[in-house]
PDB file of all heavy atoms in Angstrom:
ATOM      1  N   LEU A  46     191.057 155.434 -26.367  1.00  0.00           N
ATOM      2  CA  LEU A  46     192.435 155.847 -26.613  1.00  0.00           C
ATOM      3  C   LEU A  46     193.193 154.779 -27.385  1.00  0.00           C
ATOM      4  O   LEU A  46     194.094 155.087 -28.177  1.00  0.00           O
ATOM      5  CB  LEU A  46     193.149 156.130 -25.295  1.00  0.00           C
ATOM      6  CG  LEU A  46     192.518 157.207 -24.399  1.00  0.00           C
ATOM      7  CD1 LEU A  46     193.290 157.322 -23.093  1.00  0.00           C
ATOM      8  CD2 LEU A  46     192.471 158.545 -25.115  1.00  0.00           C
ATOM      9  N   HIS A  66     196.278 164.580 -26.674  1.00  0.00           N
ATOM     10  CA  HIS A  66     195.590 164.088 -25.484  1.00  0.00           C
ATOM     11  C   HIS A  66     196.440 164.286 -24.241  1.00  0.00           C
ATOM     12  O   HIS A  66     197.657 164.055 -24.244  1.00  0.00           O
ATOM     13  CB  HIS A  66     195.237 162.609 -25.643  1.00  0.00           C
ATOM     14  CG  HIS A  66     194.509 162.039 -24.472  1.00  0.00           C
ATOM     15  ND1 HIS A  66     195.080 161.154 -23.575  1.00  0.00           N
ATOM     16  CD2 HIS A  66     193.250 162.267 -24.020  1.00  0.00           C
ATOM     17  CE1 HIS A  66     194.210 160.843 -22.642  1.00  0.00           C
ATOM     18  NE2 HIS A  66     193.098 161.498 -22.885  1.00  0.00           N
ATOM     19  N   GLY A 102     191.696 166.191 -21.166  1.00  0.00           N
ATOM     20  CA  GLY A 102     191.841 164.745 -21.156  1.00  0.00           C
ATOM     21  C   GLY A 102     190.706 164.004 -21.850  1.00  0.00           C
ATOM     22  O   GLY A 102     190.752 162.782 -21.986  1.00  0.00           O
ATOM     23  N   ILE A 103     189.682 164.725 -22.274  1.00  0.00           N
ATOM     24  CA  ILE A 103     188.529 164.098 -22.914  1.00  0.00           C
ATOM     25  C   ILE A 103     188.706 164.144 -24.421  1.00  0.00           C
ATOM     26  O   ILE A 103     188.951 165.209 -25.001  1.00  0.00           O
ATOM     27  CB  ILE A 103     187.225 164.802 -22.504  1.00  0.00           C
ATOM     28  CG1 ILE A 103     187.021 164.681 -20.993  1.00  0.00           C
ATOM     29  CG2 ILE A 103     186.031 164.206 -23.248  1.00  0.00           C
ATOM     30  CD1 ILE A 103     185.812 165.425 -20.484  1.00  0.00           C
ATOM     31  N   THR A 104     188.589 163.001 -25.057  1.00  0.00           N
ATOM     32  CA  THR A 104     188.648 162.965 -26.516  1.00  0.00           C
ATOM     33  C   THR A 104     187.247 163.165 -27.093  1.00  0.00           C
ATOM     34  O   THR A 104     186.238 162.924 -26.402  1.00  0.00           O
ATOM     35  CB  THR A 104     189.208 161.626 -27.022  1.00  0.00           C
ATOM     36  OG1 THR A 104     188.263 160.581 -26.729  1.00  0.00           O
ATOM     37  CG2 THR A 104     190.552 161.314 -26.370  1.00  0.00           C
ATOM     38  N   PRO A 105     187.154 163.589 -28.349  1.00  0.00           N
ATOM     39  CA  PRO A 105     185.831 163.764 -28.956  1.00  0.00           C
ATOM     40  C   PRO A 105     184.988 162.495 -28.928  1.00  0.00           C
ATOM     41  O   PRO A 105     183.767 162.556 -28.714  1.00  0.00           O
ATOM     42  CB  PRO A 105     186.159 164.174 -30.396  1.00  0.00           C
ATOM     43  CG  PRO A 105     187.497 164.819 -30.306  1.00  0.00           C
ATOM     44  CD  PRO A 105     188.227 164.052 -29.239  1.00  0.00           C
ATOM     45  N   GLU A 106     185.630 161.347 -29.138  1.00  0.00           N
ATOM     46  CA  GLU A 106     184.875 160.104 -29.154  1.00  0.00           C
ATOM     47  C   GLU A 106     184.286 159.779 -27.787  1.00  0.00           C
ATOM     48  O   GLU A 106     183.168 159.240 -27.693  1.00  0.00           O
ATOM     49  CB  GLU A 106     185.775 158.956 -29.636  1.00  0.00           C
ATOM     50  CG  GLU A 106     186.136 159.035 -31.105  1.00  0.00           C
ATOM     51  CD  GLU A 106     187.295 159.974 -31.416  1.00  0.00           C
ATOM     52  OE1 GLU A 106     187.858 160.562 -30.454  1.00  0.00           O
ATOM     53  OE2 GLU A 106     187.632 160.130 -32.595  1.00  0.00           O
ATOM     54  N   VAL A 107     185.015 160.103 -26.725  1.00  0.00           N
ATOM     55  CA  VAL A 107     184.485 159.912 -25.366  1.00  0.00           C
ATOM     56  C   VAL A 107     183.281 160.829 -25.146  1.00  0.00           C
ATOM     57  O   VAL A 107     182.249 160.407 -24.601  1.00  0.00           O
ATOM     58  CB  VAL A 107     185.582 160.177 -24.317  1.00  0.00           C
ATOM     59  CG1 VAL A 107     184.980 160.315 -22.919  1.00  0.00           C
ATOM     60  CG2 VAL A 107     186.610 159.055 -24.328  1.00  0.00           C
ATOM     61  N   ALA A 108     183.401 162.083 -25.552  1.00  0.00           N
ATOM     62  CA  ALA A 108     182.289 163.023 -25.397  1.00  0.00           C
ATOM     63  C   ALA A 108     181.077 162.566 -26.186  1.00  0.00           C
ATOM     64  O   ALA A 108     179.939 162.591 -25.691  1.00  0.00           O
ATOM     65  CB  ALA A 108     182.724 164.425 -25.839  1.00  0.00           C
ATOM     66  N   LEU A 339     184.515 169.483 -23.990  1.00  0.00           N
ATOM     67  CA  LEU A 339     185.872 169.507 -24.531  1.00  0.00           C
ATOM     68  C   LEU A 339     186.578 170.837 -24.267  1.00  0.00           C
ATOM     69  O   LEU A 339     187.712 171.027 -24.694  1.00  0.00           O
ATOM     70  CB  LEU A 339     185.833 169.224 -26.028  1.00  0.00           C
ATOM     71  CG  LEU A 339     185.473 167.789 -26.410  1.00  0.00           C
ATOM     72  CD1 LEU A 339     185.166 167.680 -27.891  1.00  0.00           C
ATOM     73  CD2 LEU A 339     186.597 166.835 -26.041  1.00  0.00           C
TER      74      LEU A 339
END
Side-chain angles (χ1 to χ4, degrees):
L46 302 177
H66 181 252
I103 298 176
T104 68
E106 290 82 2
V107 166
L339 290 168

